[in-house]
Amino acid sequence: MNRFFDKVIGDPMNRVDGKLKVTGAARYSAEYQLPNISYGVIVSSTIAKGRIRSVDAKAALRSPGVIAVISHENAIRVPGWADNEHPTEPPTGGRPLRAFHNNRVYSNGQPIAIVVADTYERARHAAMLVKIEYDTDKHETNFEANKGKAVVPAVVKKNPKSGLADYERGQAEGYKTAAVKLELEYVHPTEVHNPMELQAITAHWEADDKLIVYDKVQGTKPTQQAFANEWKIPVQNVKVISEFVGGAFGNGLHNWPHETAAIIAAKMVKRPVKLMLTREQMFFMVGYRPYTWQKIGIGADKDGKLTGIYHEAIGQTSSYEEFTESTLQQTRMMYTSPNIGTKYRLLPLDVSTPIWMRGPGEATGAFALESAMDEIAFALNIDPVQFRLMNHTDTDPDKNLPWSTKYLKECIQVGAEKIGWSKRSLKPAGVRSGEWLVGYGMGVGTFGAHRGAAAVRAKLLANGTVVFQSAVTDIGPGTGTAMVQIASEHLGVSPDKITFQLGNSDFPQAPNQGGSATVATVGSAVVATCKAMKEKLLGMAPAADKRFAGLKVEDVTFDKGYLSLSRSPSVKVAFTDLLKKQNLSELDVLQDSKPNQEANKYSKYSFSVHFAEVHVHPATGQVRVKKVVTCADAGTIVNKKTAANQMIGGVTGGIGMALQEEAVMDHRFGRYVTKDFGDYHVPVHADVPPIEVYFVNKPDYIVDPMGTKGLGEIAIIGVAPAITNAIFNATGKRIRELPVTPDKLI
Amino acid sequence: MIQFQYTRATEARMALDAISKDQSSMFIAGGTNLVDLMKRGIVTPERIVDISRLPLNKISYEGKVLKIGSLALNSTVAENKLVQHKHPLLAQALNAGASAQIRNMATVGGNILQRTRCHYFYDTSLPCNKREPGTGCGALEGFNRMHAIFGFSDKCIAVHPSDMSVALLALDATVLVEGSKGQRRIPFGDFHRLPGDKPEIDTNLLPGELILGVEVPDNGFAKNSHYLKVRDRASYAFALVSVAAALQIEKKVIKDARIALGGVAHKPWRLAEAERSLIGKPVSEASFQQAALLAMQGAKGFKHNEFKLKLAPNSIVQALKVASRMV
């Protein structure tokens, strides 16, 4: 292991931007007070399907402070949208909704108009005065009633080798001949993105063809490109700032109609427009984890060896845009079994488009797979921990490759010990605490350890400080902090002398922050940039001290802002002296980095296991999660504090998934009825027990030079089944439809 | 939110005058419910009369009656030593409601007058007879998991959301109000209405009347009472079912009993017959089961709230067991 790793990497360093956040100094997308700013409020549809007959803005326009009411009737044409029809038909494939493009209504809550006024309050008031008349068409929003109409995704039709295509290893439905077999159906309801910070954008046309947006997104570069295409202007004429993001779990991975609405409005009123959605609008406009039905056929021999799993899923999407997620991937690679089949379908409905939500399809799929594993272990009368270990696979049976690293067994062993698994009764309802039934459950999670391409700039300044820059965003995990730690290790400069600037499309290329790939992707670019910087410094060193001549980077130690000879540490020179010697005010290095081909010889995944102890009251059906132990195999842990923070957040999200979250729609209207924090429940403090976090913390250098593997997704994947399995162990009741509310347990 | 005038009253008479002069005016105190309703355009007062500075926040004990001013904060009442000592059920019910932040703003009078949390009432694009008479009840054939099993009508199946009111009903409280014709007392059980044909009217408070306070008489329940609230999460959620249970026990025999339910009707729901059935009975699960059975007479579930027909009696038994210290 690189000796630098022993110093800063892994250190639970405080967040570099922690003080800015807790003192309110950090600026979020709705906090840029540009001169002459105006405020937009969206008026959204109250029908699920049809056409807008008229938009009556007279009363709104008479209201004090109102500058404009913009709808399809008067909106300027977005130049990138050449054809008039939107969206494309038929049902799947399609493209994102176009704000104010024509009179069609595709879902309830769709943006119909934007009211712009001189204050937010006046805009909001006037928005209530806009009268919209519709010609209503019959809508279909009921998943269960329309399940039979599910279709093969367009992406599969186009590419039969897509990971979403039907899959068969051995015999897809080989489970059917097993000695012990089960066929089980699971339902995951719609879950809505509800980060603390509401979706917001401040849009400003600095010139006719020059746009700047302060936008809550997960990628500044992809957003920059999207708006450049939309407005047919050079990409460098679009600037996207997203310096601070108040939580995003996938809802910033897509550009939504309200963003274009604000940009159209800013262009039309010739003033900057600030737009922040209401909490209710967040339920309709910015994606969600889709309602998903799953069926698992699972079989094993009497000794507990799996003989087959057949896993089907149908996910909901909108009528105009195809959204897919890898709900079934883990079933192909998690356990050793001669027969595996998967089948994924989509059900387009008259609803808005879903989007990835933390542990996207995998968390949904893991609920079914890990529940089914628990169910068949019970049928076999085998301890579920034992059952997983018995069916553990040492190579990837899907790709037929060795794992880059896999320490899942270690995770399971540690987790079982820490939760007190030995207290568990194999028979349900076997343990009590006073009146409460006590149960223990577990669930495994996995997610691909992805790495993409990125570039990072570093500027060494004359005072010895270093500024790094990347277009990447930080949606909450502490990206800036981790990058400072990696830079410190690899450049030999103490963390307090390093600044990592991010969230600006002017900075070097970085992909969306998503898929747990940021540390591997951007961190690798930081390492590459540090290496390039060190080479430059070493090249400059002989001018200061001839003893550095002809040496390689490996021969030299970089530490605390000095180069020294590794074999003779007293021979040293400060970075700053090298700049001075050359009369340089700064040393600027830009380096890119991409995954190496060697990594393709391996299958790369992160793994996690979650153990839960729950108490259930038999008379009232109330569930109390008493303790969660979560253990992750995510390679090198760069910062133990922020990493544990991510795991705790993921487990909390998993508690919500298991017990509380459900966006309920009244299908007569195609409209959600639980659409605020009073009705749509997420865990409060009283729901969150002590969560113990453990990391294997063994590097995976196949994935990236730091040895990291992604962490954000595996924090939630497998948590919900750990809890529902524990509920079964406590009560003997198997609830296959989330969330498990008290009414389902009495 | 529509634009409105704001008046601050410094004495009760001034508040009553301001309200009586203007039909579209409303009192505001803590505002924890009213402001939400105004933001969503569900109520649209053109004037709000701020009564939060009126001297109506005292908690006192006179002539065997605990008197609580209508402007006493929920948190203040819950923490009050007299309340905790004499009527722990009331303190428990208050602490079961809302969040610490809301309890720090919300007043006793406002808590009693809070509107239903029915989904259809809160969405102006959906039908609701309570919000807009004649549009129909959205919940009747819609999503009615949180809704009534007692006392509903075909016009409205909403429930009253207050926890505190359930305890006040069980404790035989009286509401003291003042209007243009002077003061009057309303027994708590008569304060809220059933929906009937006029679900838009929640209470028997007359237009222009102001709640001055509530009065709770002494009783023998302090030792054996319990407020049980069953909800979808551990805190900060409205009740699926809640039970205010109070027993007076002597030598393991029940001398007197009070049971009221929350989350089951348009008003807090008192179970007089079940209470009577307990008097003279031994403290036992069998006594409680029998009371619970009686309690559920006449209950009827809808598509999504059938579970309350089981959860309510289970909860009654559970609350009585805790109140009698069986568990």
Side-chain angles (χ1 to χ4, degrees):
Chain A
M1 200 189 286
N2 186 318
R3 68 189 189 85
F4 289 121
F5 278 47
D6 298 324
K7 293 192 304 183
V8 181
I9 296 274
D11 186 21
M13 192 172 100
N14 285 337
R15 287 172 186 258
V16 293
D17 49 8
K19 191 176 172 188
L20 292 176
K21 286 183 174 175
V22 299
T23 58
R27 275 205 292 180
Y28 294 84
S29 297
E31 295 182 318
Y32 289 84
Q33 278 313 106
L34 305 183
N36 201 28
I37 198 157
S38 62
Y39 298 81
V41 167
I42 293 277
V43 180
S44 41
S45 73
T46 53
I47 65 160
K49 191 177 183 182
R51 283 166 201 271
I52 304 161
R53 194 190 309 149
S54 63
V55 177
D56 177 358
K58 285 194 281 298
L61 286 167
R62 276 199 303 270
S63 190
V66 172
I67 300 162
V69 177
I70 298 161
S71 69
H72 75 285
E73 290 187 351
N74 61 345
I76 51 169
R77 299 283 96 185
V78 173
W81 299 345
D83 54 318
N84 193 43
E85 260 313 286
H86 163 79
T88 51
E89 319 263 353
T92 53
R95 60 185 171 209
L97 190 81
R98 294 172 165 183
F100 316 146
H101 196 55
N102 59 25
N103 65 348
R104 302 277 302 270
V105 177
Y106 296 93
S107 71
N108 220 314
Q110 173 184 321
I112 301 297
I114 182 170
V115 176
V116 186
D118 58 354
T119 71
Y120 171 68
E121 290 76 12
R122 286 171 148 181
R124 189 158 170 172
H125 171 58
M128 290 170 70
L129 304 176
V130 178
K131 297 269 176 287
I132 298 162
E133 301 279 337
Y134 301 98
D135 292 316
T136 306
D137 291 338
K138 187 175 180 293
H139 62 264
E140 296 294 345
T141 57
N142 188 333
F143 186 100
E144 292 299 331
N146 289 280
K147 208 162 63 189
K149 297 179 196 160
V151 296
V152 174
V155 62
V156 174
K157 286 184 199 150
K158 212 190 284 173
N159 173 19
K161 286 185 178 163
S162 153
L164 298 167
D166 291 356
Y167 177 82
E168 183 168 55
R169 192 167 78 236
Q171 286 181 302
E173 298 188 61
Y175 76 92
K176 284 185 170 169
T177 57
V180 178
K181 65 173 180 189
L182 298 171
E183 288 178 349
L184 310 155
E185 292 185 34
Y186 300 92
V187 172
H188 190 301
T190 296
E191 273 187 1
V192 180
H193 281 290
N194 268 315
M196 287 288 277
E197 184 199 15
L198 299 159
Q199 212 76 22
I201 179 170
T202 303
H204 176 38
W205 288 92
E206 292 178 313
D208 259 359
D209 63 347
K210 204 155 177 268
L211 174 69
I212 180 166
V213 293
Y214 304 87
D215 197 3
K216 179 176 180 168
V217 294
Q218 289 176 238
T220 59
K221 289 282 191 187
T223 301
Q224 177 191 40
Q225 188 64 56
F227 292 151
N229 294 347
E230 211 171 77
W231 293 92
K232 287 199 163 173
I233 53 179
V235 73
Q236 66 273 15
N237 284 18
V238 179
K239 183 167 176 169
V240 181
I241 307 284
S242 198
E243 196 182 351
F244 289 95
V245 175
F249 301 90
N251 51 322
L253 293 173
H254 186 294
N255 292 114
W256 301 106
H258 75 273
E259 297 171 76
T260 301
I263 297 169
I264 290 173
K267 187 113 187 160
M268 288 177 69
V269 303
K270 299 184 165 55
R271 288 168 72 164
V273 171
K274 181 189 290 196
L275 168 65
M276 184 169 68
L277 297 187
T278 63
R279 183 58 68 187
E280 180 174 314
Q281 288 173 338
M282 295 286 286
F283 282 74
F284 293 97
M285 282 186 209
V286 290
Y288 53 89
R289 195 193 299 279
Y291 191 107
T292 303
W293 169 89
Q294 297 175 78
K295 185 176 177 188
I296 288 194
I298 188 166
D301 66 24
K302 289 211 165 76
D303 299 329
K305 291 299 281 183
L306 278 171
T307 59
I309 307 176
Y310 185 55
H311 191 167
E312 298 171 72
I314 302 173
Q316 169 178 312
T317 189
S318 66
S319 65
Y320 52 86
E321 186 177 12
E322 175 164 299
F323 170 76
T324 60
E325 55 186 3
S326 53
T327 312
L328 305 175
Q329 175 56 28
Q330 62 214 305
T331 298
R332 302 179 186 180
M333 47 62 75
M334 186 60 98
Y335 299 107
T336 170
S337 170
N339 301 299
I340 296 284
T342 66
K343 181 179 166 187
Y344 180 73
R345 295 291 182 270
L346 282 180
L347 180 60
L349 293 170
D350 298 315
V351 295
S352 62
T353 308
I355 197 66
W356 300 287
M357 182 161 158
R358 195 176 196 175
E362 285 82 351
T364 307
F367 166 58
L369 178 63
E370 292 299 301
S371 296
M373 288 293 284
D374 198 70
E375 298 210 42
I376 196 161
F378 179 72
L380 290 159
N381 204 29
I382 297 175
D383 179 285
V385 165
Q386 196 54 36
F387 184 62
R388 285 186 179 72
L389 295 174
M390 286 164 74
N391 291 287
H392 182 270
T393 174
D394 290 323
T395 56
D396 180 353
D398 171 27
K399 299 197 182 92
N400 215 3
L401 290 173
W403 305 111
S404 56
T405 53
K406 181 181 183 183
Y407 300 101
L408 179 58
K409 271 192 201 166
E410 289 81 345
C411 287
I412 292 175
Q413 278 149 3
V414 168
E417 186 205 319
K418 300 292 180 187
I419 197 77
W421 193 255
S422 58
K423 288 180 279 181
R424 180 181 186 271
S425 156
L426 199 55
K427 228 178 91 206
V431 182
R432 273 181 183 259
S433 167
E435 291 190 291
W436 295 75
L437 297 162
V438 178
Y440 297 87
M442 66 168 297
V444 174
T446 187
F447 195 84
H450 303 301
R451 175 183 164 189
V456 163
R457 160 169 284 125
K459 278 187 236 177
L460 171 63
L461 305 180
N463 63 4
T465 61
V466 194
V467 177
F468 285 77
Q469 290 178 331
S470 163
V472 73
T473 58
D474 179 358
I475 58 173
T479 302
T481 310
M483 293 305 130
V484 165
Q485 287 178 277
I486 292 168
S488 171
E489 295 289 359
H490 286 267
L491 191 56
V493 173
S494 70
D496 60 328
K497 291 199 160 47
I498 298 172
T499 309
F500 194 87
Q501 298 177 339
L502 48 66
N504 185 327
S505 61
D506 284 351
F507 296 158
Q509 172 64 34
N512 277 316
Q513 179 161 78
S516 299
T518 298
V519 169
T521 303
V522 182
S524 296
V526 169
V527 171
T529 302
C530 289
K531 186 161 181 277
M533 174 79 79
K534 288 198 283 196
E535 275 163 2
K536 278 204 170 180
L537 289 167
L538 183 57
M540 290 154 68
D545 188 328
K546 283 194 197 100
R547 284 171 289 183
F548 284 98
L551 294 179
K552 291 185 180 145
V553 166
E554 293 74 37
D555 303 325
V556 177
T557 301
F558 295 78
D559 189 24
K560 296 196 176 68
Y562 287 85
L563 293 82
S564 60
L565 295 181
S566 298
R567 56 184 161 76
S568 176
S570 61
V571 179
K572 61 194 274 185
V573 57
F575 297 174
T576 48
D577 288 340
L578 297 178
L579 262 61
K580 226 179 279 171
K581 201 90 190 163
Q582 309 267 349
N583 236 346
L584 291 173
S585 62
E586 61 177 48
L587 185 61
D588 190 338
V589 175
L590 174 70
Q591 191 66 42
D592 57 12
S593 147
K594 58 181 188 223
N596 61 40
Q597 293 302 308
E598 183 67 14
N600 293 338
K601 295 178 186 164
Y602 297 88
S603 179
K604 304 170 289 295
Y605 283 90
S606 297
F607 296 92
S608 63
V609 62
H610 316 280
F611 285 85
E613 177 189 335
V614 308
H615 292 196
V616 182
H617 196 283
T620 63
Q622 287 170 296
V623 177
R624 297 284 179 262
V625 181
K626 285 293 181 181
K627 184 179 173 182
V628 174
V629 173
T630 182
C631 191
D633 163 19
T636 303
I637 298 304
V638 176
N639 182 322
K640 285 182 184 132
K641 189 176 193 169
T642 52
N645 182 232
Q646 280 211 66
M647 294 303 289
I648 290 166
V651 168
T652 304
I655 292 172
M657 183 190 288
L659 302 178
Q660 297 167 355
E661 293 193 51
E662 181 179 17
V664 178
M665 186 172 274
D666 185 329
H667 296 297
R668 296 172 301 167
F669 309 101
R671 190 166 170 85
Y672 289 118
V673 287
T674 58
K675 50 183 181 293
D676 61 31
F677 276 155
D679 291 330
Y680 183 93
H681 291 158
V682 296
V684 296
H685 278 108
D687 295 304
V688 183
I691 298 168
E692 289 180 17
V693 181
Y694 297 91
F695 294 114
V696 173
N697 201 12
K698 289 190 178 169
D700 185 332
Y701 293 122
I702 289 159
V703 175
D704 63 57
M706 298 82 62
T708 69
K709 298 195 283 187
L711 184 66
E713 324 287 345
I714 57 165
I716 191 170
I717 299 165
V719 176
I723 292 165
T724 53
N725 291 341
I727 291 171
F728 174 76
N729 183 241
T731 63
K733 287 179 181 152
R734 179 69 66 177
I735 310 301
R736 301 188 184 91
E737 196 170 329
L738 296 179
V740 187
T741 43
D743 48 305
K744 295 177 182 170
L745 291 171
I746 56 166
Chain B
M1 192 185 282
I2 69 156
Q3 312 224 350
F4 57 86
Q5 301 289 316
Y6 171 90
T7 305
R8 180 186 288 161
T10 48
E11 54 182 287
R13 188 42 48 197
M14 182 181 163
L16 289 167
D17 286 349
I19 284 278
S20 66
K21 269 191 281 187
D22 188 349
Q23 288 294 310
S24 73
S25 61
M26 289 180 82
F27 294 129
I28 189 166
T32 58
N33 189 202
L34 183 62
V35 173
D36 278 350
L37 295 167
M38 288 169 71
K39 277 194 207 165
R40 290 172 182 239
I42 295 158
V43 295
T44 51
E46 285 168 26
R47 174 188 300 276
I48 57 172
V49 180
D50 183 356
I51 57 168
S52 61
R53 312 277 171 112
L54 301 186
L56 293 172
N57 59 355
K58 299 276 184 306
I59 302 171
S60 62
Y61 181 67
E62 294 164 42
K64 299 196 170 183
V65 174
L66 182 74
K67 299 185 173 182
I68 304 169
S70 66
L71 292 174
L73 299 178
N74 285 192
S75 51
T76 309
V77 180
E79 287 157 15
N80 183 276
K81 290 284 176 278
L82 266 172
V83 173
Q84 290 180 349
H85 177 65
K86 294 205 160 282
H87 307 291
L89 182 68
L90 178 58
Q92 274 186 42
L94 278 161
N95 281 328
S99 65
Q101 293 90 335
I102 291 172
R103 293 194 293 271
N104 281 336
M105 288 296 288
T107 62
V108 166
N111 187 321
I112 296 170
L113 290 173
Q114 67 183 298
R115 310 297 308 271
T116 182
R117 259 62 181 187
C118 175
H119 320 293
Y120 299 88
F121 180 67
Y122 273 82
D123 186 335
T124 51
S125 74
L126 297 178
C128 173
N129 285 323
K130 184 182 280 297
R131 190 189 63 244
E132 210 181 331
T135 54
C137 173
L140 196 62
E141 302 289 328
F143 183 61
N144 45 37
R145 180 169 177 267
M146 301 300 289
H147 290 73
I149 54 172
F150 289 113
F152 49 81
S153 72
D154 60 356
K155 297 279 191 293
C156 179
I157 63 169
V159 299
H160 193 257
S162 166
D163 291 298
M164 182 194 72
S165 296
V166 181
L168 287 174
L169 177 64
L171 296 169
D172 302 310
T174 301
V175 185
L176 177 63
V177 306
E178 181 168 350
S180 54
K181 292 174 189 160
Q183 295 188 3
R184 65 183 181 121
R185 285 185 152 68
I186 309 172
F188 207 88
D190 296 335
F191 188 85
H192 296 97
R193 293 178 71 255
L194 288 179
D197 284 340
K198 288 198 177 304
E200 69 274 21
I201 306 173
D202 288 352
T203 71
N204 289 314
L205 198 66
L206 298 172
E209 277 185 323
L210 177 69
I211 300 179
L212 300 179
V214 292
E215 300 177 346
V216 190
D218 271 3
N219 58 45
F221 301 128
K223 257 196 261 172
N224 291 106
S225 64
H226 183 64
Y227 189 77
L228 172 67
K229 183 177 184 183
V230 182
R231 44 186 154 176
D232 285 328
R233 59 183 169 193
S235 176
Y236 198 39
F238 292 100
L240 296 169
V241 166
S242 69
V243 186
L247 297 169
Q248 190 179 334
I249 300 169
E250 281 171 28
K251 294 181 181 146
K252 295 185 181 169
V253 174
I254 299 165
K255 293 289 168 192
D256 203 357
R258 296 288 182 276
I259 313 170
L261 299 183
V264 297
H266 197 259
K267 58 191 279 188
W269 197 251
R270 181 83 174 258
L271 299 165
E273 203 179 332
E275 290 172 3
R276 276 196 298 277
S277 81
L278 286 169
I279 295 171
K281 296 275 167 53
V283 170
S284 71
E285 179 145 359
S287 309
F288 300 157
Q289 291 283 7
Q290 193 207 358
L293 204 66
L294 279 171
M296 296 310 291
Q297 284 180 353
K300 182 186 165 302
F302 293 91
K303 187 174 178 191
H304 304 102
N305 72 350
E306 284 264 337
F307 71 92
K308 291 189 182 182
L309 301 180
K310 189 168 179 197
L311 182 60
N314 280 6
S315 301
I316 291 168
V317 172
Q318 180 65 19
L320 289 167
K321 281 163 82 174
V322 178
S324 62
R325 306 194 183 175
M326 272 177 65
V327 290

